[in-house]
């Protein structure tokens, strides 16, 4: 085997392992952007109170995907399925994030030197925006737009994030999305210099 063939095999093996890792986790961050709208705060944030809310103007996009003859024949069934699943996925996402902001975020944040406390003057507010649910003959996946801010005591944003997270395959579980979100956001806060030592 030549060196170039060996490199190609290695590259394929690495790509395959990466795809397996994504398939196992089932949750993905489809887009992510964070940063400080102003200069870094003089002191890093050590405590926040956390709020999760829904945007009143958010929309749910429902997509029935029929790409082959069998799917086209079942298109009416797929359309009914996407209507039901979009509503169910939305309710499950809101329930999960509302509960996990209370139960899991404090423990996750503590690993980054951040305390979650109702009495903290800084607010970490995350708002659920639009949702997209796509169903085919084989199953459904949903993704969710989130935007968040760290707000100081005066209500001024000292850090913001926009992200879209979702199921990367039909076997992924919506409740697992919170850990994906929390890890990405807390890591970005630390990298952007607003939390941590």
């Amino acid at each position: 085997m030549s060196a170039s063939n060996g490199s190609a095999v290695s590259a394929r093996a690495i790509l395959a392992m990466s795809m397996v890792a994504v398939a196992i986790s089932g949750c993905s961050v489809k887009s992510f952007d964070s940063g400080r709208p102003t200069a870094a705060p003089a002191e890093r944030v050590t405590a926040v109170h956390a709020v999760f809310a829904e945007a009143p103007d958010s929309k749910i996009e429902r997509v029935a995907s029929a790409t082959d003859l069998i799917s086209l024949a079942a298109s009416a069934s797929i359309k009914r399925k996407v209507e039901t699943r979009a509503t169910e996925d939305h309710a499950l996402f809101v329930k999960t994030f509302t509960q996990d902001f209370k139960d899991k975020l404090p423990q996750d944040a503590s690993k980054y030197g951040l305390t979650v406390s109702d009495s903290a003057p800084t607010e970490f507010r995350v708002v659920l925006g639009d949702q997209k649910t796509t169903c085919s003959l084989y199953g459904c996946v949903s993704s969710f737009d989130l935007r968040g801010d760290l707000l100081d005591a005066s209500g001024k944003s000292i850090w913001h994030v926009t992200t879209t997270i979702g199921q990367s395959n039909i076997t992924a579980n919506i409740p697992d999305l919170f850990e994906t979100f929390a890890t990405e956001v807390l890591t970005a806060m630390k990298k952007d210099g607003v939390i941590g030592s």
Side-chain angles (χ1 to χ4, degrees):
M1 181 186 300
S2 70
S4 61
N5 284 345
S7 297
V9 169
S10 297
R12 282 195 296 269
I14 291 168
L15 178 61
M17 286 187 288
S18 299
M19 291 172 69
V20 168
V22 168
I24 290 171
S25 72
C27 301
S28 66
V29 176
K30 299 174 184 301
S31 67
F32 192 90
D33 179 48
S34 70
R36 298 184 309 260
T38 60
E43 293 183 14
R44 297 193 184 209
V45 175
T46 58
V48 296
H49 66 274
V51 176
F52 175 73
E54 290 184 73
D57 59 346
S58 62
K59 299 176 182 66
I60 299 177
E61 180 182 357
R62 297 165 172 88
V63 179
S65 176
T67 57
D68 55 41
L69 291 176
I70 296 172
S71 296
L72 286 170
S75 63
S77 173
I78 295 169
K79 286 178 183 174
R80 286 192 301 274
K81 184 186 343 183
V82 76
E83 287 298 322
T84 302
R85 271 297 293 276
T87 303
E88 291 172 351
D89 286 0
H90 184 84
L92 180 57
F93 186 89
V94 170
K95 179 182 176 184
T96 297
F97 268 61
T98 300
Q99 195 62 46
D100 288 353
F101 256 64
K102 295 174 187 170
D103 296 343
K104 292 184 178 179
L105 185 61
Q107 183 179 354
D108 290 342
S110 69
K111 298 172 190 171
Y112 294 80
L114 185 66
T115 300
V116 178
S117 167
D118 289 342
S119 62
T122 302
E123 178 177 281
F124 176 45
R125 172 173 290 274
V126 174
V127 178
L128 171 61
D130 294 345
Q131 169 187 335
K132 180 177 181 180
T133 299
T134 302
C135 291
S136 70
L137 188 61
Y138 309 103
C140 304
V141 293
S142 288
S143 62
F144 305 86
D145 295 341
L146 296 166
R147 64 181 187 272
D149 285 279
L150 278 177
L151 304 169
D152 66 15
S154 70
K156 179 181 175 184
S157 178
I158 56 175
W159 182 84
H160 72 274
V161 61
T162 57
T163 185
T164 300
I165 61 172
Q167 299 162 285
S168 58
N169 58 59
I170 61 172
T171 63
N173 295 314
I174 285 177
D176 295 337
L177 292 174
F178 180 80
E179 287 301 328
T180 302
F181 169 79
T183 299
E184 289 291 326
V185 166
L186 291 164
T187 300
M189 282 183 188
K190 187 168 185 177
K191 180 182 172 188
D192 291 341
V194 292
I195 66 169
S197 53

